[in-house]
């Protein structure tokens, strides 16, 4: 296997800095898998506390969003320079909650992806369909387009180093996981479209995660699929169950 597995937690808007510190110290003791890369994407305000708490472990710290400018009059936003300086190495971009509640378009997602890469932060680019879109039979078309727009302007080498997360919106926080076949079908389609635009060799290197109600029970089956290189985990990343997901 060329691609190193990645299990990324997405804490969303949960855990205060002191709660985060306590949780990470428990998590450290529960992790035994040394083969997978382990990441926690935490609220910005928790980054410093979590960066200290992960010391002495292999857990990496990521952010859940960033702005596409480096500095200036953008009240309330966080710059990639700030994230980098605080020790962040990954950033989730275009999560469906950001698209739905904060009106992020594919074009904004693209600007953020380009800026993250330019600054040396690895973007975890989220794509995925709603239940309506799945029922209309347009899942693969839609996800192909989302992927193409999000990555526009990157070089082959850069695409090989980023991460894409397939997250069907209907599976997020609902307890309804996509079957491993459904997840594999779309992850394979993402790899195909990357191959069409950036070449097959690049596509073989890009890591593609599945996200949407991943838990300690279903992770092993999902991660065993050929085109699924790990997971983006929401709810279960706030419990020690996250260690079970990594360990499997
Ligand atoms: P979930 O969230 O695991 O709670 O479904 C996944 C995500 O939103 O990344």
């Amino acid at each position: 296997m060329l691609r190193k597995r990645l299990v990324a937690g997405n804490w969303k808007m949960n855990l205060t800095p002191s709660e985060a510190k306590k949780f990470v110290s428990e998590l450290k003791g529960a992790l035994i898998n040394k083969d997978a890369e382990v990441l926690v994407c935490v609220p910005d305000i928790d980054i410093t506390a979590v960066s200290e708490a992960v010391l002495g472990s292999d857990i990496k710290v990521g952010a859940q969003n960033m702005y596409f400018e480096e500095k200036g009059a953008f009240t309330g936003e966080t710059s990639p320079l700030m994230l980098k300086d605080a020790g962040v190495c990954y950033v989730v971009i275009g999560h469906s909650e950001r698209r739905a509640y904060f009106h992020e378009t594919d074009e904004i997602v693209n600007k953020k992806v380009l800026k993250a890469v330019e600054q040396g932060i690895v973007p975890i680019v989220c794509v995925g369909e709603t239940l309506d879109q799945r029922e209309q039979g347009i899942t693969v078309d839609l996800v192909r387009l989302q992927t193409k727009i999000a990555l526009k302007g990157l070089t082959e080498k850069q695409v090989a180093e980023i991460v894409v997360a397939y997250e069907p919106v209907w599976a997020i926080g609902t307890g309804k996981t996509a079957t491993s076949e459904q997840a594999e079908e779309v992850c394979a389609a993402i790899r195909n479209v990357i191959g069409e635009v950036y070449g097959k060799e690049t596509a073989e290197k890009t890591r593609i995660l599945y996200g949407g109600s991943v838990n300690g029970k279903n992770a092993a089956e999902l991660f065993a699929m050929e085109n699924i290189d790990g997971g983006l985990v929401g709810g279960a990343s706030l419990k020690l169950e996250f260690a079970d997901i990594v360990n499997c």
Side-chain angles (χ1 to χ4, degrees), residues 64-229:
Q64 301 171 11
N65 179 39
M66 55 158 241
Y67 199 52
F68 52 75
E69 296 289 351
E70 289 169 17
K71 62 177 179 178
F74 304 102
T75 302
E77 292 294 322
T78 303
S79 129
L81 303 183
M82 297 166 185
L83 294 181
K84 220 165 60 169
D85 191 62
V88 160
C89 46
Y90 285 88
V91 61
V92 176
I93 301 284
H95 188 279
S96 66
E97 285 150 19
R98 297 224 46 98
R99 294 179 189 253
Y101 306 143
F102 304 100
H103 316 293
E104 281 192 16
T105 60
D106 288 327
E107 287 70 25
I108 294 175
V109 169
N110 176 241
K111 283 188 176 181
K112 292 185 173 186
V113 168
L114 291 175
K115 186 50 88 175
V117 169
E118 184 192 308
Q119 289 301 327
I121 305 174
V122 179
I124 300 177
V125 188
C126 300
V127 295
E129 82 289 3
T130 61
L131 186 58
D132 238 25
Q133 290 162 332
R134 175 161 281 269
E135 283 169 352
Q136 285 172 49
I138 59 170
T139 298
V140 166
D141 288 337
L142 178 92
V143 167
R144 281 174 57 91
L145 192 64
Q146 287 176 331
T147 306
K148 271 191 186 176
I149 300 175
L151 308 190
K152 199 163 168 263
L154 294 179
T155 64
E156 289 171 10
K157 187 170 175 290
Q158 290 168 332
V159 171
E161 285 164 5
I162 63 146
V163 178
V164 179
Y166 166 53
E167 296 211 305
V169 179
W170 50 271
I172 294 177
T174 57
K176 271 192 238 161
T177 322
T179 64
S180 44
E181 290 76 22
Q182 284 173 324
E184 167 65 13
E185 185 200 3
V186 183
C187 291
I190 293 169
R191 200 174 305 287
N192 271 334
V193 72
I194 293 175
E196 286 166 26
V197 183
Y198 301 94
K200 209 165 171 320
E201 208 179 304
T202 302
E204 282 306 313
K205 293 185 187 145
T206 309
R207 287 184 293 177
I208 303 177
L209 312 181
Y210 166 78
S213 299
V214 174
N215 59 40
K217 292 200 181 74
N218 59 30
E221 190 186 327
L222 286 158
F223 299 173
M225 304 308 281
E226 194 184 329
N227 286 289
I228 302 180
D229 306 314

Side-chain angles (χ1 to χ4, degrees), residues 44-69:
D44 290 349
I45 196 81
D46 292 352
I47 290 171
T48 306
V50 173
S51 297
E52 282 166 19
V54 297
L55 288 176
S57 78
D58 294 325
I59 304 173
K60 293 180 177 161
V61 184
Q64 301 171 11
N65 179 39
M66 55 158 241
Y67 199 52
F68 52 75
E69 296 289 351

